[in-house]
Amino acid sequence: MVQPKMPRCWRVESKPHKFCPGCGHGIILKFLGEAIDELGIQDRVVFGCDIGCSLLAWDFFNLDTVQTHHGRTIPVMTGIKRARPELLCIAYMGDGGGYSIGAQHVVAAASRNEKIMALLANNTVYAMTGGQMAPTTLTGQKTETTPFGREPAVAGLPLQGPEMVAAIATEGAYVARGSISKPRQLKAFLKKGLENQIAGRGFSFIEALSACPTNWRTNAKETWAFVEDEMAKCFKVSEIKAPGAVEVS
Ligand SMILES: Cc1ncc(C[n+]2csc(CCOP(=O)(O)OP(=O)(O)O)c2C)c(N)n1
Ligand code: SF4
């Protein structure tokens, strides 16, 4: 039987962004938009954004968007997905939202293998509230609440989020860590995460190393060096778990 042709999808449109100059959120979202465009799934996507600087994306795309309470984007997207499984749900958040106040939702979604995609921007601080220490703050990194640098004996080590998710998630999950300094690779990870959801295999979790020059108080050169050298030394940029494979690098 001849299948009726699907209506042609529109292109994802965005407005000039509201992030500070040099912010990583705009770069991550640009590649998310391109990934959605290239997969032609615009009419099925629901985009959820957290409190934190990610909320500035609430009217960024011409996609159905839900702006949620701090840390609650994953459960909101999970509810939408369970009610309307044909939709493709993306939960976008910062490291404070995903690894601190909303950490239980990351753990629950991973252990239940919820068929949504979570995308987490790791900029090592609570940016929107002025640059306090986050779970991902590097050892020795100065923030508003660690003026002498993060001390592991007091505050522990930086949280390895994707590694934690990969350890909990079951077969069918896709887990990766990309970086704004490797945009093509980041887009490939985003497409794989979305394809995993399209195939209905399981939870997709992608962390993106991001930048917050405003709270880091860095110029363009220092910002880039911090992402490419300091952050990448602590957080391994690679695929971590893919369906049908135990470990991919
Ligand atoms: C329930 C609740 N607790 C605390 C806050 C205050 N708050 C707003 S944004 C934020 C931190 C956001 O940091 P992160 O999630 O890392 O995102 P970023 O701003 O760095 O992108 C906090 C603590 C809030 N809005 N709601
Ligand atoms: S405060 Fe940081 S994370 Fe927030 S918009 Fe500015 S540069 Fe981006």
Side-chain angles (χ1 to χ4, degrees), residues 5 14 19 21 39 51 67 94 96 100 107 111 138 144 154 180 184 230:
K5 271 195 172 169
S14 62
F19 307 110
L39 293 170
I51 293 285
Q67 204 271 300
S100 196
V107 169
S111 63
L138 301 187
E144 287 298 303
V154 178
I180 55 166
R184 268 179 296 195
E230 302 306 316

Side-chain angles (χ1 to χ4, degrees), residues 6 17 37-39 43-44 65 75 79 82 85 88 104 124 129 132 163 182 193 198 230 239:
M6 291 296 287
H17 70 61
D37 255 350
E38 287 171 22
L39 293 170
D43 50 355
R44 293 173 63 195
T65 300
R82 286 185 175 210
L88 300 170
Q104 73 272 40
T124 74
T129 41
Q132 296 84 3
E163 287 78 0
K182 294 185 174 180
I198 294 165
E230 302 306 316
E239 276 187 330

